[in-house]
Amino acid sequence: MGRQPCCDKVGLKKGPWTIEEDKKLINFILTNGHCCWRALPKLSGLLRCGKSCRLRWINYLRPDLKRGLLSEYEEQMVIDLHAQLGNRWSKIASHLPGRTDNEIKNHWNTHIKKKLRKMGIDPLTHKPLSEHEASQQAQGSKKSFVPHDDKNPKQDQEDQQTKGEQEQDLEKNNTSVSSDGFCIDEVPLLNPHEILIDISSSHHHHSNDDNVNINTSKFTSPSSSSSSTSSCISSVVPGDEFSKFFDEMEILDLKWLSSGDNNSNDGKFNNTADTMNLWDINDLSSLDMFMNDHDDDGFVGNGNGCSRMVLDQDSWTFDLL
DNA sequence: AACTTCCGCAACCGCAGCCGG
DNA sequence: GCCGGCTGCGGTTGCGGAAGT
């Protein structure tokens, strides 16, 4: 018996996601989590396969994603990591909080490769190009189709030996990525822990104590986003539609740190009397508390088992608002 | 203005790896 | 150890917009 396809493809939708589908997916995941991607489409009413849902969530809808171009620092990290790890994009992405493997892969293929070639560096071996190759690059001639083994980009033994150490260094460096590494001419990148919930205020739609409001007033306008960010959502839905989107989503208002606080990236809580830091970790486990009812601590379902919360950085701040 | 080519990105596809039975 | 199901990964494709003619 052959391998079962990941999903019954008959009647399943393909291609770009619509905002309605996004809403369904977000609502479902925020309510139920994503315990089983395969079952998710049926349960959420989406005519997509589980893989497609997973990809959409991971690469686009996830709340902790950064959008916009990679900063110089991030780019350098990608180059360094690629030299060590090769095309293991997910590994590389794990060193860059808020970036996805797909994003890094695309950026590598479209920007970094060219940049390195221009600099006379072979993007595959990270060694200087041969004279011939370099001259080709200098002439801006066609892409170098030098045969290579992409699957085995491992460097010398020395590299391998020091890899552990280097990775440790990179991890350390990682902690300072957001604080001093990001290009300030790009989107004002916000880290997950910079999103605060305003527990005290309750200015809109639900007055119940079990709903949390998060102000959106501090969100940056889409125009401040990197021009290269071409979001499906933003391309489809005009600005005021995003407000509707949020309303329909019954989304919490988010209260952001003041700009002066933006560089506080040390992962510490920034609790004041009436604010609570949502994100003090790098992964999505913070979501768990919202995906289940937590009446005791103020983060709760809406009474019908549907927790309300949407958190994000750029995809939410720029595209959805 | 119309057409063509190029480029970047989101999404798809197929395979590998992991895990439980 | 084997098998089947599921997830994750990396390569590739195709669409839409930008740039060029």
Side-chain angles (χ1 to χ4, degrees):
Chain A
M1 198 161 98
R3 181 188 173 82
Q4 193 185 359
C6 75
C7 48
D8 177 14
K9 303 201 175 189
V10 180
L12 289 187
K13 195 168 176 290
K14 283 169 69 174
W17 281 63
T18 64
I19 194 162
E20 288 302 322
E21 290 175 309
D22 282 342
K23 281 199 285 189
K24 274 188 183 175
L25 181 58
I26 292 164
N27 266 334
F28 184 85
I29 290 179
L30 293 180
T31 306
N32 305 293
H34 51 75
C35 57
C36 177
W37 289 112
R38 194 180 166 86
L40 190 147
K42 273 189 181 176
L43 295 171
S44 63
L46 283 162
L47 292 171
R48 296 272 182 175
C49 76
K51 269 174 115 171
S52 183
C53 294
R54 176 185 162 271
L55 221 58
R56 183 65 178 168
W57 176 257
I58 298 282
N59 288 331
Y60 197 82
L61 298 173
R62 228 172 66 192
D64 63 336
L65 285 179
K66 283 176 196 151
R67 311 293 305 175
L69 287 173
L70 271 73
S71 68
E72 287 288 324
Y73 185 89
E74 287 175 303
E75 210 170 278
Q76 192 53 52
M77 276 192 73
V78 171
I79 294 167
D80 292 345
L81 287 162
H82 187 270
Q84 297 169 38
L85 304 169
N87 290 1
R88 284 186 276 179
W89 304 115
S90 61
K91 290 273 180 200
I92 294 172
S94 69
H95 288 277
L96 295 160
R99 301 294 185 182
T100 68
D101 53 351
N102 206 35
E103 190 180 9
I104 291 170
K105 182 172 59 184
N106 282 334
H107 191 77
W108 177 268
N109 287 326
T110 56
H111 295 105
I112 302 179
K113 261 185 176 176
K114 290 176 193 167
K115 196 172 169 180
L116 289 176
R117 286 196 180 113
K118 267 189 181 178
M119 293 162 67
I121 299 168
D122 186 341
L124 299 164
T125 63
H126 295 265
K127 289 174 180 169
L129 288 163
S130 70
E131 251 179 60
H132 175 65
E133 289 166 331
S135 66
Q136 276 191 332
Q137 297 304 325
Q139 289 165 14
S141 61
K142 301 182 174 81
K143 289 172 191 168
S144 165
F145 292 111
V146 180
H148 58 271
D149 183 4
D150 236 358
K151 294 265 179 191
N152 188 18
K154 287 180 183 150
Q155 304 303 297
D156 350 333
Q157 292 300 318
E158 287 175 10
D159 281 353
Q160 292 300 316
Q161 285 167 1
T162 56
K163 190 169 148 186
E165 267 178 61
Q166 289 171 334
E167 283 187 359
Q168 280 182 350
D169 289 344
L170 283 163
E171 303 245 353
K172 286 178 199 165
N173 290 340
N174 244 356
T175 60
S176 64
V177 168
S178 300
S179 59
D180 58 9
F182 292 137
C183 271
I184 52 173
D185 58 347
E186 294 174 10
V187 294
L189 296 168
L190 288 155
N191 293 299
H193 68 275
E194 291 169 352
I195 304 173
L196 301 178
I197 287 185
D198 186 334
I199 294 172
S200 65
S201 67
S202 57
H203 70 93
H204 118 140
H205 36 227
H206 301 286
S207 55
N208 298 343
D209 288 338
D210 60 358
N211 287 311
V212 178
N213 295 316
I214 304 174
N215 297 323
T216 56
S217 55
K218 180 78 174 51
F219 287 154
T220 318
S221 72
S223 59
S224 69
S225 178
S226 161
S227 60
S228 73
T229 303
S230 61
S231 126
C232 280
I233 293 179
S234 60
S235 65
V236 169
V237 185
D240 44 289
E241 287 292 313
F242 289 116
S243 311
K244 284 186 205 163
F245 178 86
F246 257 73
D247 284 340
E248 288 171 22
M249 291 281 296
E250 296 185 315
I251 278 161
L252 305 169
D253 301 333
L254 292 173
K255 178 175 180 178
W256 296 79
L257 290 171
S258 69
S259 55
D261 293 328
N262 267 355
N263 56 3
S264 62
N265 188 37
D266 53 10
K268 292 174 189 166
F269 275 88
N270 192 350
N271 284 341
T272 60
D274 59 351
T275 62
M276 176 172 173
N277 200 322
L278 265 182
W279 302 93
D280 61 315
I281 51 172
N282 289 331
D283 61 27
L284 281 172
S285 57
S286 289
L287 277 175
D288 290 346
M289 64 191 289
F290 299 100
M291 290 170 182
N292 304 297
D293 288 352
H294 292 276
D295 293 282
D296 295 342
D297 51 23
F299 301 100
V300 281
N302 58 8
N304 57 10
C306 181
S307 301
R308 293 195 190 95
M309 90 137 268
V310 167
L311 323 145
D312 186 355
Q313 300 181 17
D314 300 342
S315 58
W316 299 87
T317 58
F318 302 127
D319 294 334
L320 302 181
L321 290 175

